[in-house]
Amino acid sequence: MTSKLLKRTHMCGTLHSQNINEEIVVNGWVQKRRDLGGLIFVDLRDRTGLLQIVFDKDISLDAFNKAETIGSEYVICVKGKVYKRQSMNPNLPTGEIEIFAEELHILNTADTPPIYIKDDDVVSENLRLKYRYLDLRKPSMQNNLIFRSKIANIVRNFLTEDGFIEVETPMLINTTPEGARDYLVPSRVNPGKFYALPQSPQLFKQLLMVSGMERYFQIVKCFRDEDLRADRQPEFTQIDCEMSFVDMEDIIEVNQRLLQKVFKDALNIDIQLPIQRMSYKEAMERYGSDKPDIRFGFELVDVSKPVKTSGFKVFSSTVENGGFVKAINIEGYGDKFSRKDITSLEEVAKTYGAKGLAWMKIVEEEVVSPIAKFFTEEELSHLLKKVNGKSGDLILFVADKFDIVHDALGHLRLEVAKRLNLLNPDEFKLLWVTEFPLLEHDPEENRYVAKHHPFTSPMDEDIELLDTAPEKVRAKAYDIVLNGHEIGGGSIRIYSSQLQEKMFKVLGFTEKEAWEKFGYLLEAFKYGTPPHGGIAYGLDRLVMILTKEANIRQVIAFPKTQNATCLLTNAPSFVDEKQLKELSIQIQTQKES
Amino acid sequence: MTSKLLKRTHMCGTLHSQNINEEIVVNGWVQKRRDLGGLIFVDLRDRTGLLQIVFDKDISLDAFNKAETIGSEYVICVKGKVYKRQSMNPNLPTGEIEIFAEELHILNTADTPPIYIKDDDVVSENLRLKYRYLDLRKPSMQNNLIFRSKIANIVRNFLTEDGFIEVETPMLINTTPEGARDYLVPSRVNPGKFYALPQSPQLFKQLLMVSGMERYFQIVKCFRDEDLRADRQPEFTQIDCEMSFVDMEDIIEVNQRLLQKVFKDALNIDIQLPIQRMSYKEAMERYGSDKPDIRFGFELVDVSKPVKTSGFKVFSSTVENGGFVKAINIEGYGDKFSRKDITSLEEVAKTYGAKGLAWMKIVEEEVVSPIAKFFTEEELSHLLKKVNGKSGDLILFVADKFDIVHDALGHLRLEVAKRLNLLNPDEFKLLWVTEFPLLEHDPEENRYVAKHHPFTSPMDEDIELLDTAPEKVRAKAYDIVLNGHEIGGGSIRIYSSQLQEKMFKVLGFTEKEAWEKFGYLLEAFKYGTPPHGGIAYGLDRLVMILTKEANIRQVIAFPKTQNATCLLTNAPSFVDEKQLKELSIQIQTQKES
């Protein structure tokens, strides 16, 4: 299979009518071969697209004879001349031309591939992952990877021009207290000890600020050993930034320009600055989510007051007992939801903890609802005014504790929008969410844990609440949300060792524990640490949204399954006893122990 | 320590006489404070350099009073006006000006740092690594990291413009047979199984070629659990490329232009193309090394023939027994080496296995040498002619088996050049070394192992030697050498599954073993694999040479020691029993077993 490799002159997809009469050399894969009227037609594919090649005995008998032997996915090199095509194919960029082959060199043969190399092939994802190298031949997958590469390049050049230095932080680090579960790496040279793979370069990028690097970035692999969801992978890629001598406004300013650049250069979409902002509190109250999708309305409205006095006990007693009743108005879409549809929406609400879903339709000025009878006319009018109810609307109610009401209605508005086909993937709505709570109470450990991470600074005006009401302390933290997905987040960091020590105390660490776990950071903070903060984006998720894919595996070359395995290489795998012995470990599965 | 953060107008090192009379705001670290004649002088440092700030009671008493409290490495913000300096400092880029402070904001205090923040501080490397965040404040270290970032950016943009796509390959992969020792990562979800961290993205980049990506690159962390040398780290960074439909000439062509671009844009040095080439055989014969430093001569000359008949038994019997006698002529430097010096050179030769070092000096047409008496005048004249011996020269001889002669003399010429101060770090000499042997015989395992890796293609004209004389087969492999360091290497790959299977057979694998270890690659090769090849550069080493550093740790932000530990964070460390249990492993140190 050593055949002549001619110097390629063109990529297949780049040829067009201006090239007519040129002598060209192309390489690629056989997409399809058809024998028709004494001629052989081959659709040749490379990274740039398809090109029709014609083999004609009268032009080259040798090429024609070889062409008779080739099949799908053969790798060939063709030398020939560009002609205007008899029957043009308007669906193909190269559809105006075809190549009459003068030479054919078969560079490699191919067995019949187990999956079709076309975008609309319906085949199990497991088979696609097993033969990933064939799956990646599909134009959509190639374009996703090319697009991803482009995004990374835009980001890198923007940040470099803005004075950011790309610094590589280590992959073999210490296990992190206060994070997700680490992947561990046994050390051979230090028996019994382990490295961890980084969940993020957080501590190192802060140390780089202590080092006076001032502006750092990195596009870097991070690792979390957590159970996987559709948009999670054991290893994922972050665009990671950190800046010194800045407050939140400075970081938002740089990142808005970055996002504007990405949308413009990658998608030719103009993002108007400033990007809209919303406090965490407002996001929760209006959208029932800290990452609201603001492409559509259906906002949450608090109707606790107007329903408090009603005869509908479910509502009035909830409010009396300190709970809430909130509603969303599916304005103008009342006739799209039958009773059966509403019952299925109730099932959705129940998966988020709601005990039920009350509803009202307004049909020709008339309220149609199983619960209408419990309201006086005045109460009803008051209620409808509050939710802006008009003919044609459907109003959905949930009554419960704060968290359940917001969680259930937040997801319901998404579900309704999805059913109404309002989630337009071509529309991109960005939103900054700010003023997150600094802490969350962990009922399991019965202590406060950091909502972002323990290095996030409290807001200056809330610092004194750390002693009295930690749950009320807001953080200098911000997320950037795109179409209901958190694509990035960050914070201004604590940069005083005293405040950092205090934070650890609030998290329930003794001074000794804090120094054992984070001593080198507390020590570093003593030697002149500048004010600093940063942000990290999830590159996989960002690319997934921008390519309008539903699954993160569509934008990763060699992803892992939900079970964290690679179906192509069968990683992870068993290893030799000798390797384990060198690492001073042995396997102890649950059964054996 | 919450102090006002004014909007910075300038970086310290960028101010000059054109800024005189401007109101400016700068941030930075206090390099030095001097109180002199009722004024306080502060050298303020940021990433760009130093700037002199003057505090004068008459301008601002408040700023002056605060300035009296600040010390080294305090973090401050200064607002003030730029003035022409009374006594200019020509050693400082900002030496023509100084700032008279109107406002001083102390952003953070600093304890006395355990190491000085200046390049000429002499302190143990261990202390520097423990306080790496302070060590990285030194201008030389900051410049190294900035330079490294610049190199990566130049490379990425060059390759992107040349049609290469950056694709991220996985970090959690399968353990590699036939490589160095892997770092292993136990899988929690698949008890008893392990991932390995990649030694290189070799197999994945080849699979990307099978996928039709055509041109791939990545700047990527790789891992090898080997004992460390001065220029090795457990994790290191590769610039990794792969191309389809190419032969060696295509790869060399792209990479020559890449190197030319790097030298031009990073150092403003013009590299003349084509870069010099040399076969492995020629490199070994002329320089005793497969990575010759060609900044200087002292080439190896084979004198086996002229000495064969001499009366010097060490030489003649070596040649008679199939060995070699080779010489290097230290032309013109004879008088730089005393007998004592030569004795110490002999010690160097002995560390590479030589039994001794013979020598001749030519002093005023006279041969001075302990072995001269064993040669007839004709033999001597013949010998000197062969090595171009002239008055003032020193000629060094080693007689032994091929490997020892070349290894010893190859290192001797380096040692001599070092002692003569001929290794000019400002001179950059690039060299392609080609036609490497495909295989090496491993005496331990008594089988052939791949010199590069098992996917390297043999040269077409040598394929039939695979059956008859595997050790003679040359590979389509090439290294790029800079000043005696291998900075990169690559090969054209095998792309036929038959040839790949044959290669595994030569390496001593049964068909079953080959399929167990590399089945997915052999399988992939069946479905239309294009001819392909690539190269990988060691970024750390490249940056080390270009920055003229002697140690690779000088160009890595957070390196590890020879013991693979991080002195800053104390990684690796012991972990909780709970973590090990989740991973189904336990520690089994040698003592316990």
Side-chain angles (χ1 to χ4, degrees), chain B residues 55-119:
Chain B
F55 294 92
D56 180 339
K57 274 182 207 161
D58 295 339
I59 290 176
S60 166
L61 185 61
D62 175 68
F64 184 88
N65 288 339
K66 282 187 190 158
E68 283 198 302
T69 71
I70 63 178
S72 283
E73 299 308 315
Y74 270 51
V75 186
I76 62 173
C77 173
V78 173
K79 185 177 176 183
K81 200 167 170 181
V82 184
Y83 285 87
K84 195 171 162 62
R85 199 145 146 183
Q86 302 291 3
S87 52
M88 305 226 271
N89 179 349
N91 298 320
L92 208 62
T94 63
E96 295 188 358
I97 53 155
E98 59 194 357
I99 312 300
F100 275 80
E102 291 153 12
E103 288 182 36
L104 168 60
H105 304 277
I106 300 175
L107 302 176
N108 217 335
T109 60
D111 288 1
T112 305
I115 62 174
Y116 287 109
I117 314 301
K118 52 183 192 183
D119 283 331

Side-chain angles (χ1 to χ4, degrees), chain B residues 332-527:
Chain B
Y333 292 102
D335 59 345
K336 303 282 181 197
F337 293 87
S338 65
R339 293 209 171 200
K340 207 176 135 198
D341 294 333
I342 296 172
T343 306
S344 89
L345 288 178
E346 183 165 31
E347 291 309 312
V348 173
K350 283 180 175 171
T351 64
Y352 296 99
K355 285 186 280 293
L357 183 69
W359 59 274
M360 292 181 180
K361 265 191 196 181
I362 309 174
V363 184
E364 289 169 17
E365 312 283 313
E366 193 79 27
V367 174
V368 180
S369 166
I371 63 169
K373 59 187 173 207
F374 299 110
F375 293 81
T376 65
E377 206 156 310
E378 201 192 341
E379 282 168 349
L380 215 47
S381 130
H382 192 182
L383 177 60
L384 292 182
K385 196 173 168 202
K386 186 91 187 174
V387 300
N388 192 28
K390 307 166 304 298
S391 255
D393 292 356
L394 166 67
I395 302 144
L396 303 172
F397 300 88
V398 174
D400 217 306
K401 284 179 293 188
F402 185 92
D403 287 355
I404 290 177
V405 168
H406 290 86
D407 202 30
L409 284 176
H411 283 95
L412 262 188
R413 68 180 281 278
L414 280 177
E415 178 64 25
V416 165
K418 201 186 292 172
R419 294 193 187 183
L420 291 172
N421 223 357
L422 299 179
L423 301 176
N424 178 4
D426 289 315
E427 189 184 359
F428 296 101
K429 279 278 179 74
L430 286 158
L431 175 72
W432 289 106
V433 178
T434 61
E435 298 179 34
F436 278 84
L438 183 71
L439 302 156
E440 283 177 325
H441 195 265
D442 182 338
E444 219 168 286
E445 300 195 38
N446 192 28
R447 65 173 180 107
Y448 288 106
V449 294
K451 187 165 171 74
H452 277 75
H453 52 62
F455 319 108
T456 301
S457 176
M459 285 174 66
D460 298 337
E461 50 270 54
D462 291 357
I463 284 184
E464 55 192 28
L465 291 173
L466 274 174
D467 295 314
T468 54
E471 71 283 359
K472 287 193 182 153
V473 177
R474 289 166 301 162
K476 291 182 183 170
Y478 33 83
D479 278 358
I480 177 78
V481 175
L482 173 58
N483 291 1
H485 297 265
E486 180 219 322
I487 56 167
S491 64
I492 298 297
R493 326 299 182 185
I494 296 170
Y495 64 99
S496 122
S497 47
Q498 296 94 308
L499 184 56
Q500 187 65 64
E501 286 187 59
K502 175 163 203 153
M503 179 68 179
F504 285 134
K505 204 172 148 196
V506 174
L507 295 175
F509 296 170
T510 65
E511 197 182 329
K512 189 161 165 280
E513 283 169 340
W515 274 85
E516 270 168 17
K517 286 172 203 280
F518 297 106
Y520 60 93
L521 189 73
L522 293 171
E523 174 82 6
F525 278 1
K526 287 184 181 174
Y527 300 110

Side-chain angles (χ1 to χ4, degrees), chain A residues 8 108 137 142 148 168 171-172 174 194-195 210 214 235 237 528-529 560 564 569 573 584 586 588, chain B residues 8 108 137 148 168 171-172 174 194-195 210-211 214 235 237 528-529 560 564 569 573 584 586 588:
Chain A
R8 165 150 73 181
N108 217 337
R137 285 186 190 167
Q142 297 208 332
R148 182 182 176 124
E168 295 176 63
M171 289 280 134
L172 295 171
N174 249 344
F194 292 80
Y195 305 99
V210 180
E214 305 220 14
E235 52 181 294
T237 304
T529 300
K560 298 210 166 48
T569 63
S573 63
S584 303
Q586 62 178 31
Q588 180 86 37
Chain B
R8 165 150 72 181
N108 217 335
R137 286 186 190 166
R148 182 181 175 123
E168 295 175 64
M171 289 280 133
L172 296 171
N174 249 344
F194 291 80
Y195 304 99
V210 180
S211 302
E214 305 221 13
E235 52 181 294
T237 304
T529 300
K560 297 210 167 47
T569 63
S573 62
S584 303
Q586 62 177 33
Q588 180 88 33

Side-chain angles (χ1 to χ4, degrees), chain A residues 59 101 108 150 295 299 305 320 459 505 544 553:
Chain A
I59 290 176
N108 217 337
K150 187 174 180 180
R295 280 176 295 177
E299 291 185 21
K305 224 177 197 173
E320 268 160 39
M459 286 175 64
K505 204 172 149 194
M544 178 185 85
R553 291 186 292 275

